[in-house]
Amino acid sequence: MDAATRIADLIAPTLEGMGFQLVRVKLMGTERPVLQIMFERDTGGAPHDGGITVDDCAEVSRGVSAVLDVEDPISGAYRLEVSSPGLDRPLIKPADFARFKGFAAKVELGRPLDGRKRFQGRIGGLEGNELLLRDEEKGSEARLPVAEIASAKLIVTDDLITASLAGRSAAAN
């Protein structure tokens, strides 16, 4: 188990207890590592969570720091970065592709499929172990093996902004 996975396993229950979900843990660098933790509100599957505030980041930072201080999964000094995933959020888990079905995304595979590694289009959902990605300009659909996805993220579009604003409006009411 790599360090990021171990840290994710350690802090996920704390985040869930605070009403948040872990999006991603990334450990970068070697001399003075940076531990990046992305989180969001628990949305119950809705596309957007209403936003993350500075106070939310401070709360999560305190909660996560307490766990990391006790468990000490990183030897030596490191910098903790806590943030929202943002509009162009990374898509990490298969459930992310179902949650953001209909939105535009960029996907990069770890190895070429039909001579290509990079794909862009609207998420058509999951079918078995494949992500369906529709390229509206070309009128084609790619079937990408989920296990081969190296990275994926949403593309900021008008419909993504509209959904995000609707989520913020609902959270405010």
Side-chain angles (χ1 to χ4, degrees), residues 100-129:
F100 292 100
K101 183 177 179 177
F103 291 99
K106 288 182 182 180
V107 178
E108 185 166 338
L109 301 179
R111 62 181 182 184
L113 176 69
D114 298 327
R116 293 176 57 193
K117 288 177 83 171
R118 291 183 183 91
F119 296 82
Q120 184 171 316
R122 293 225 173 249
I123 299 170
L126 293 172
E127 200 169 281
N129 293 324

Side-chain angles (χ1 to χ4, degrees), residues 127-138:
E127 200 169 281
N129 293 324
E130 294 181 320
L131 168 65
L132 305 178
L133 197 65
R134 289 187 213 110
D135 185 332
E136 295 170 340
E137 289 179 18
K138 294 180 182 175

Side-chain angles (χ1 to χ4, degrees), residues 30-112:
T30 54
E31 193 170 310
R32 181 166 171 120
V34 174
L35 176 60
Q36 181 188 70
I37 297 171
M38 285 187 183
F39 72 99
E40 63 189 353
R41 289 186 200 291
D42 186 348
T43 66
H48 287 285
D49 65 4
I52 297 294
T53 66
V54 172
D55 290 340
D56 294 332
C57 288
E59 178 185 358
V60 167
S61 181
R62 285 189 298 272
V64 165
S65 290
V67 171
L68 295 175
D69 287 347
V70 170
E71 297 295 332
D72 200 24
I74 302 171
S75 61
Y78 64 92
R79 189 174 84 229
L80 177 62
E81 245 179 45
V82 177
S83 69
S84 150
L87 275 178
D88 59 344
R89 62 166 288 138
L91 303 168
I92 307 295
K93 302 172 273 199
D96 292 339
F97 297 111
R99 179 177 166 199
F100 292 100
K101 183 177 179 177
F103 291 99
K106 288 182 182 180
V107 178
E108 185 166 338
L109 301 179
R111 62 181 182 184

